[in-house]
Amino acid sequence: MTGARDGGPTPRTALLTGVSSGIGEAIGAALLDAGWRVVGLSRTPPATAHERLVHFPVDLSDAAALDGTLDRILTAAGPVEAVVHAAGILRVGRIGEQTLADGAAMWRLHVEAATQLVERLAPRLPDGGRIVLLGSRTAAGAAGRAQYAATKAALTGLARSWAMELAPRRITVNVIAPGATDTPMLRDPGRAAVAPRLPPMGRFVDPAEIAALALFLLSPGAASLTGQQIVVCGGASLL
């Protein structure tokens, strides 16, 4: 599955959440550069306009609003060949510091929104379509990030389950699990108490590296790769 360069065949369309910031923004740029058409979902519009980028403003934490937006997309945006759920938030805190509201907000955005997208869009994806979810290396557990880790771990269970169901249609479902990545989330003052450690490679992961992996997962070369969590962490998981 590939996009199309300008002047070539009709480009394939990817629906991408979190398109206006961080990893989602990097994935959007990579998709556009590769010739894809991008249907982007986020609360704020992307900083850069593009003729193949169609933005739908929506608060993904609002289930009714997302459902209405998906109705509009299915009516007006044409066929979608790939779904990439990159939107995310981080609420940190050790035992006694986090609230149920923190966990509910992350669960809604990471897990329920992903479920809503797949429930609505997977039946309409063509055979050979692709689904990519943005997880986290901390899904294996991290002090001060228990609720965040739990929501990201849930994505792996979802991805493997969906991959089993969709395999007969050759639709792949995979999770990209980044370590500390150089995005605005990394620099959020609210996480100062549990600041990320520099990976053994001596730098944080570049969002463009995550975008390159996402692009590969949408390519013909990844047609047999499904139900997997791929960790990109600069060596942090080796410690």
Side-chain angles (χ1 to χ4, degrees), residues 104-214:
M106 290 185 286
W107 186 267
R108 166 58 208 163
L109 184 57
H110 300 159
V111 181
E112 291 182 359
T115 302
Q116 199 171 352
L117 290 166
V118 171
E119 288 288 337
R120 292 293 306 273
L121 297 173
R124 295 171 172 81
L125 288 175
D127 290 353
R130 306 296 167 86
I131 299 171
V132 177
L133 310 173
L134 263 293
S136 171
R137 186 183 81 85
T138 62
R145 300 177 180 86
Q147 294 187 82
Y148 179 78
T151 66
K152 294 300 188 175
L155 289 179
T156 301
L158 287 174
R160 290 184 63 82
S161 301
W162 290 333
M164 293 173 190
E165 293 186 39
L166 295 170
R169 295 179 54 203
R170 302 185 306 281
I171 295 174
T172 67
V173 189
N174 292 290
V175 176
I176 300 175
T181 305
D182 190 9
T183 66
M185 184 184 290
L186 188 77
R187 298 182 291 274
D188 183 351
R191 67 179 296 174
V194 285
R197 296 178 181 176
L198 198 66
M201 285 188 173
R203 64 171 177 83
F204 295 117
V205 177
D206 189 323
E209 295 165 345
I210 305 302
L213 177 54

Side-chain angles (χ1 to χ4, degrees), residues 91-104:
R91 300 287 184 268
V92 300
R94 296 182 180 272
I95 295 171
E97 296 173 347
Q98 284 209 293
T99 66
L100 292 177
D102 288 334

Side-chain angles (χ1 to χ4, degrees), residues 23-103:
I23 290 173
E25 182 179 31
I27 292 174
L31 287 168
L32 292 168
D33 186 60
W36 284 77
R37 179 171 175 262
V38 176
V39 176
L41 277 62
S42 60
R43 287 181 298 178
T44 57
T48 304
H50 193 287
E51 61 181 6
R52 280 186 275 105
L53 171 61
V54 181
H55 180 250
F56 286 82
V58 62
D59 181 354
L60 293 162
S61 65
D62 184 331
L66 177 56
D67 213 38
T69 299
L70 291 174
D71 285 339
R72 292 170 57 201
I73 290 170
L74 292 170
T75 300
V80 171
E81 286 85 6
V83 177
V84 182
H85 183 40
I89 56 173
L90 175 64
R91 300 287 184 268
V92 300
R94 296 182 180 272
I95 295 171
E97 296 173 347
Q98 284 209 293
T99 66
L100 292 177
D102 288 334

